[in-house]
Amino acid sequence: MHEKEGAEQSIDTTPSPTAEQIYRTLFDFAPIPIVISDIKGNIIEANIWMLEEFGYSLKELQELGAKHLYEDPNARSEIAVRIGKERKLRDFEVRMKRKDGTTFPAILNVDPVQRGTAIINLTSIRDITKQRAYEKVLSRDRRANNIIAEAAFNTTTLDEVYHKVLVGLVDTLGFDLGTINVYEPESKLLILKASTGVGDDPVELSMHIDDESWVTASAARLRKPVMASDVTKTEYYKTHREKLDRRKVRSLISWPIIGAEDELLGLINIASRSVKEIGEEDIGFFNTVAGMFVTVLAQKQAEEELRESQELFQMFTDNMPGPVYIKDHESKVIFINKFMRMTGMNQDWAGKTNNELFAQKTAEERTIADRKVLEEGPIEEIQRMLGSDGSPVTYRRLKFPIPRDNRPPLIGGFSVDISEQVKAEEALEAAKDRAEFFTDLMAHDINNIHQGVMASLELLLTGYEMKPEARELTQNALNQIHRGVALIANVRKFSQLGEEKAKLTKTELATEILTAKQVVIQSFPHKMINVDIKGLDSETYVEADGFLRDAFFNIMHNSAKFDISDKPQIDISIKKDDKENFVVIEISDHGSGISDEQKEKVFTRLQGRTQRSSGIGLTLVKQIIDRYRGSIKAMDRIEGDYTKGVKFEIRIPRVMS
């Protein structure tokens, strides 16, 4: 370390309670699980972090022994052999087991230490579950981004897009073969567009969606992913076995590609000739890629040990894999551990204060921090510095008071190297930024295409004579483009909701509802929309922001869209719940309604498909209302008959005028 906390001096040899307190406090405040055991695996001591991590009491650990902490009890024997050969163990990865039976990956560092005539092992344990999860998510996200980026920017035809995405998925997930089929609704056929790994075995160029002998057709018909780790152990695939056996398929994923209007676009199918475990990570990865693909297409025990606390304290601190130091109440250094001495600290610093060790500004900052520890208790901070090889190193540093009987408290400190975790988090954030960049870029280009198409269609409708059938088709095409523009706008709003912290202000409800009403009416020039509002006054206020208008617009827009009549009727009722201080807004329509099964799902568009849902408008509405600490639910306009229309009830905290 190039920032110096002080130097070692002789350990305080006052009576054992003082040494005991220092040792116990340091041992318990070590921010990682630490256990002390003999060479036979009998546990002597464990700190509080160890007990909390594994769920055992110290007595239970002592009765069980070290081997019960491993998922594979033989791992302890392997560690003992390694220590016998290498004298110590560094960064040994193994799976550990808690009292409740759950397991986790961990890194062990073991240091044998001579204590009297016996040898004890000082073992530190670091849970790397989050690190592995970060790395796995990062790897999957990076692969997904690369697959989509390659398909989006290094191809010229749709066939090339299909091929690049398919090959990328098969290679990334370690499968053997795959196909992509595009659905033609007129013929109800799934048309082959790309294949890989099929060899000389001919692939069907098309199949009917109602052909039950094909797994692909079943997934398309159900519009739900079909997945199997081993098709031979699932009764469902019995009717498909002939075709699966022909290509020796054991594992498969058949994933429907659903468009912005909830229409079936096609399927991505990949398969393996060996058994593949398909987990949540694979499903999430596949869901991300499939979603992005649509856009491309349109992580001490007893008194006996305490009497030996001074020796254990020295062993403990000198075997910690990071800096440890102690200062007195005047910020004078009285101890640094072996780690600090080996990285440039000097014992001549014993007895020196912050002012004698650091530049004026740094000394003042450290003295203020030391006083804060003594007055308020432990503090945690992040410290960045250069390592011995010149590379950046990040430490999580913990400072804490060490109480002493009838004497001023001391200041203890630990640092834990978290450089790898920081690197993983930074890399994950960079991957997220790249994904957002690609989304923005593609959305921008698609919007430019939309504008050109809209201009051409509007010119056709206003400047040319057309047959009624042609005019209707042209108008339908223009409506679809408008929907695409709205979908992109909603996607951007999702991004903004996630990026911006809610800044809510006193907002007049009437203005937001009336403005949204006007925009909805203008959005459907060929419909005579009637919006009847009751209970609205200019003295009703809520805590909201600019997204409130979008929420009302999306609900009324859906009501108008799903009402097949030329004169859609929308009824809005505003009431005040004075008891709970809420404003209750009810919006009812006469459209196709929402079934009981879909009433909850309609607000979770990103987690599945709904019959009524179009785009992601209602999911956006739910997130906006949640932003205001409110609630929304869907009900039947006429209770018991969902086909007569839907009623949305919105509750938002009221602000007194």
Side-chain angles (χ1 to χ4, degrees), residues 518-533:
Q518 189 63 31
V519 176
V520 168
I521 292 174
Q522 294 171 355
S523 300
F524 295 90
H526 302 293
K527 289 188 176 186
M528 297 178 63
I529 302 173
N530 181 45
V531 182
D532 185 17
I533 306 176

Side-chain angles (χ1 to χ4, degrees), residues 182-318:
V182 172
Y183 180 57
E184 289 187 352
E186 296 82 6
S187 62
K188 292 189 175 182
L189 291 177
L190 294 162
I191 308 300
L192 180 70
K193 288 296 182 179
S195 64
T196 184
V198 297
D200 298 330
D201 193 6
V203 181
E204 288 70 17
L205 298 179
S206 66
M207 66 187 72
H208 198 277
I209 193 172
D210 294 326
D211 188 343
E212 295 185 359
S213 66
W214 292 99
V215 177
T216 299
S218 298
R221 193 167 54 253
L222 297 171
R223 297 193 179 196
K224 292 182 179 180
V226 173
M227 297 166 285
S229 296
D230 188 348
V231 297
T232 65
K233 296 182 178 180
T234 305
E235 185 68 22
Y236 173 80
Y237 299 100
K238 188 175 182 180
T239 58
H240 311 106
R241 287 297 299 278
E242 181 182 349
K243 292 182 172 64
L244 295 173
D245 288 345
R246 196 177 77 195
R247 292 196 172 90
K248 300 179 181 179
V249 170
R250 293 294 299 275
S251 297
L252 63 84
I253 299 176
S254 187
W255 199 284
I257 307 168
I258 307 299
E261 295 299 317
D262 203 31
E263 73 278 19
L264 176 67
L265 301 181
L267 289 105
I268 301 174
N269 313 285
I270 64 172
S272 170
R273 296 186 176 97
S274 60
V275 174
K276 295 281 187 181
E277 291 298 326
I278 300 173
E280 290 296 328
E281 301 87 355
D282 302 301
I283 296 172
F285 168 78
F286 219 102
N287 195 32
T288 299
V289 173
M292 294 174 69
F293 187 39
V294 172
T295 304
V296 172
L297 299 175
Q299 111 141 329
K300 249 182 214 171
Q301 142 99 28
E303 287 291 331
E304 184 177 353
E305 287 86 6
L306 290 177
R307 286 194 295 269
E308 299 171 348
S309 60
Q310 182 174 335
E311 180 184 4
L312 290 175
F313 162 75
Q314 185 71 55
M315 289 188 298
F316 163 71
T317 57
D318 278 351

Side-chain angles (χ1 to χ4, degrees), residues 12 16-30 313 316-317 324-329 332 334-335 370 372-379 398-414:
D12 192 347
S16 111
T18 298
E20 167 192 327
Q21 289 173 337
I22 295 175
Y23 169 68
R24 168 57 68 182
T25 305
L26 286 170
F27 192 73
D28 284 342
F29 269 99
F313 162 75
F316 163 71
T317 57
V324 180
Y325 61 87
I326 299 175
K327 301 179 182 180
D328 67 13
H329 67 288
K332 185 184 298 181
I334 62 175
F335 173 79
D370 290 344
K372 184 177 180 181
V373 169
L374 295 174
E375 294 171 0
E376 302 179 13
I379 61 173
L398 180 68
K399 287 186 175 182
F400 49 88
I402 302 174
R404 298 191 296 176
D405 293 337
N406 303 318
R407 299 179 65 185
L410 302 176
I411 302 169
F414 285 95

Side-chain angles (χ1 to χ4, degrees), residues 616-629:
I616 53 178
L618 292 178
T619 305
L620 179 62
V621 171
K622 177 69 164 59
Q623 292 198 8
I624 291 172
I625 300 303
D626 287 347
R627 184 182 178 91
Y628 306 147
R629 302 181 301 279

Side-chain angles (χ1 to χ4, degrees), residues 6-10 314 318 333-338 340-342 344-352:
E8 182 185 39
Q9 70 175 17
S10 299
Q314 185 71 55
D318 278 351
V333 177
I334 62 175
F335 173 79
I336 60 174
N337 72 335
K338 182 179 179 181
M340 297 179 71
R341 296 194 303 273
M342 297 298 290
M345 295 294 183
N346 191 304
Q347 291 186 8
D348 292 341
W349 296 356
K352 293 184 179 179

Side-chain angles (χ1 to χ4, degrees), residues 349-363:
W349 296 356
K352 293 184 179 179
T353 64
N354 292 331
N355 292 330
E356 296 172 296
L357 293 171
F358 306 108
Q360 181 178 354
K361 182 178 180 181
T362 302

